[in-house]
Amino acid sequence: MKLENGIQQPGFLLALRFLALVLWSFPGARALDNGLAMTPTMGWLHWERFMCNVDCQEEPDSCISEKLFMQMAELMDSDGWKDVGYEYLCIDDCWMAPKRDSKGRLQADPKRFPGGIQGLANYVHSKGLKLGIYADVGNKTCAGFPGSFGYYDIDAQTFADWGVDLLKFDGCHCDSMEHLENGYKHMSLALNRTGRSIVYSCEWPLYMWPFRKPNYTEIRQYCNHWRNFDDVYDSWQSIKNILDWTSSNQKRIIDVAGPGGWNDPDMLVIGNFGLSWDQQVTQMALWAIMAAPLLMSNDLRHISPQAKALLQDKDVIAINQDPLGKQGYRLRKEDNIEVWERPLSDLAWAVAMVNLQEIGGPRFYTISIASLGQGMACIPDCIITQLLPVKRKLGFYQWTSDLKIQINPTGTVLLRLAAN
């Protein structure tokens, strides 16, 4: 509807924006009914940085031990991590003793965890944090420690008795797809029966993809988040592979994500060794767009102020944690530039522009405002704020405007578009 001078009527345009909000607010698939992970889980997970180092004699500061987790808990409390939302301190594989105890219960390695998991949980809770732990649906964990097959109920109760708040449940050493699926379901129900609030992090679809396409509607009914693709490495190639897989499969996975259940592209490796500064910006920006769990895997005792500031950026975290809970998606790819966008609450949008060209210098990219947010991000106008790589107000834009952005090689510019 246009007036004679060609200017669209504001009332009509605002009605379109309201319609967009209504459409985006429809709930997705039914979520696991435990009331948890209503926004993506945030915290720290040991695997990518510390892996399965059990040699505390030679490497006491980097082996998987209660000392490591207590030091991380102390820093999460004192260095501002908890204050911006990083709440879960998560143990991955290699915490266990080689065998169960006489009653069939899992037990921590007594030398590396002399206080036991319950003692560590008490310490973590005293810092205002929550403790995550690791187990496996199969006969053994990926590193060869005791698996939970045949012990789902006793393991769930053991974790609850210890005061655990999150379970990462891996899928190694499972002898059939039937056992894998039934095991993930069984453990979900067993955790709920304990009466303790325990976030349930699954790798169910990751292990199903080689054999058949996962039923994400079903997975969401049992899991709070789920891994789909390979483990992240401390490399740009790894980050690119994860983004490529996600965008290639976005029609299948995006609509199922939302409050209570999230796609998990794996850990943040910001603050380590393999990514340039621009590549770290790209990971932070795209994990926010993807509504991904923000589980850092780094050494908080030795992290640069720049990496710390990026990981603690409240504006970017606010996009990740946006209560509308809609996962973003890749809008377009042309000439090694990708544009991703995500709808936010209050009719706002987040937009990320990624420069995948690995030769030359910064590139300019121009995009029409009308093409963003399914045509509704800036009706009839909006304020655009750049959040990354540095925060600055870009100003007032109309629906008919073009936006010109400069992006570093392998870097990303993250924007927030909000009503004027």
Side-chain angles (χ1 to χ4, degrees), residues 58 95 107 133 220-221 240 243 248 250 278 297 307 347 352 411:
E58 292 295 323
W95 63 271
Q107 50 188 344
I133 207 162
R220 179 178 167 81
Q221 292 171 10
K240 287 194 296 181
L243 295 176
S248 297
Q250 61 185 16
D278 285 293
S297 192
L347 296 173

Side-chain angles (χ1 to χ4, degrees), residues 148-200:
S148 292
F149 182 73
Y151 294 89
Y152 299 132
D153 295 292
I154 192 172
D155 287 355
Q157 191 58 54
T158 298
F159 297 146
D161 291 344
W162 284 345
V164 165
D165 305 292
L166 178 150
L167 172 63
K168 176 181 176 179
F169 209 39
D170 214 335
C172 282
H173 300 291
C174 201
D175 58 10
S176 72
M177 281 296 100
E178 181 183 12
H179 283 165
L180 183 87
E181 290 186 284
N182 290 340
Y184 273 105
K185 294 175 185 178
H186 192 147
M187 181 57 88
S188 178
L189 298 172
L191 290 171
N192 273 3
R193 281 195 296 268
T194 69
R196 182 169 181 82
S197 295
I198 300 176
V199 172
Y200 188 37

Side-chain angles (χ1 to χ4, degrees), residues 15-264:
L16 280 178
R17 296 193 77 202
F18 177 76
L19 176 61
L21 176 64
V22 171
L23 292 174
W24 280 116
S25 298
F26 279 130
R30 187 164 64 88
L32 170 60
D33 186 21
N34 64 1
L36 302 173
M38 300 310 288
T39 59
T41 303
M42 294 178 62
W44 185 93
L45 177 62
H46 92 241
W47 185 257
E48 193 287 322
R49 180 62 185 261
F50 294 97
M51 300 182 67
C52 190
N53 185 351
V54 296
D55 189 351
C56 291
Q57 186 169 343
E58 292 295 323
E59 301 180 65
D61 292 330
S62 57
C63 69
I64 307 309
S65 66
E66 68 178 26
K67 174 186 173 184
L68 177 70
F69 293 99
M70 292 173 80
Q71 288 178 343
M72 295 302 164
E74 172 65 36
L75 289 167
M76 286 174 73
D77 177 36
S78 63
D79 279 9
W81 301 102
K82 180 181 71 174
D83 297 337
V84 296
Y86 293 99
E87 183 179 20
Y88 287 85
L89 176 67
C90 301
I91 307 168
D92 209 288
D93 205 346
C94 305
W95 63 271
M96 299 176 194
K99 294 183 179 179
R100 293 174 176 268
D101 70 12
S102 60
K103 295 182 179 179
R105 295 173 299 194
L106 292 171
Q107 50 188 344
D109 184 282
K111 291 185 179 179
R112 292 184 286 117
F113 293 85
I117 299 301
Q118 187 168 3
L120 179 57
N122 290 340
Y123 181 81
V124 168
H125 294 156
S126 76
K127 298 297 181 182
L129 300 166
K130 294 179 178 178
L131 182 70
I133 207 162
Y134 170 100
D136 192 284
V137 71
N139 292 299
K140 293 186 291 186
T141 73
C142 297
F145 291 88
S148 292
F149 182 73
Y151 294 89
Y152 299 132
D153 295 292
I154 192 172
D155 287 355
Q157 191 58 54
T158 298
F159 297 146
D161 291 344
W162 284 345
V164 165
D165 305 292
L166 178 150
L167 172 63
K168 176 181 176 179
F169 209 39
D170 214 335
C172 282
H173 300 291
C174 201
D175 58 10
S176 72
M177 281 296 100
E178 181 183 12
H179 283 165
L180 183 87
E181 290 186 284
N182 290 340
Y184 273 105
K185 294 175 185 178
H186 192 147
M187 181 57 88
S188 178
L189 298 172
L191 290 171
N192 273 3
R193 281 195 296 268
T194 69
R196 182 169 181 82
S197 295
I198 300 176
V199 172
Y200 188 37
S201 175
C202 301
E203 308 218 352
W204 179 354
L206 169 64
Y207 287 90
M208 283 199 72
W209 269 109
F211 302 98
R212 64 175 183 265
K213 293 178 180 178
N215 180 345
Y216 281 98
T217 302
E218 181 178 53
I219 290 168
R220 179 178 167 81
Q221 292 171 10
Y222 291 95
C223 303
N224 291 119
H225 32 92
W226 47 86
R227 284 275 310 284
N228 295 308
F229 187 62
D230 297 345
D231 287 3
V232 70
Y233 279 61
D234 189 12
S235 79
W236 175 234
Q237 187 62 52
S238 176
I239 301 302
K240 287 194 296 181
N241 290 346
I242 290 168
L243 295 176
D244 285 345
W245 187 94
T246 301
S247 57
S248 297
N249 292 278
Q250 61 185 16
K251 289 183 179 179
R252 179 176 294 274
I253 68 171
I254 282 177
D255 287 342
V256 76
W262 310 96
N263 290 295
D264 181 3

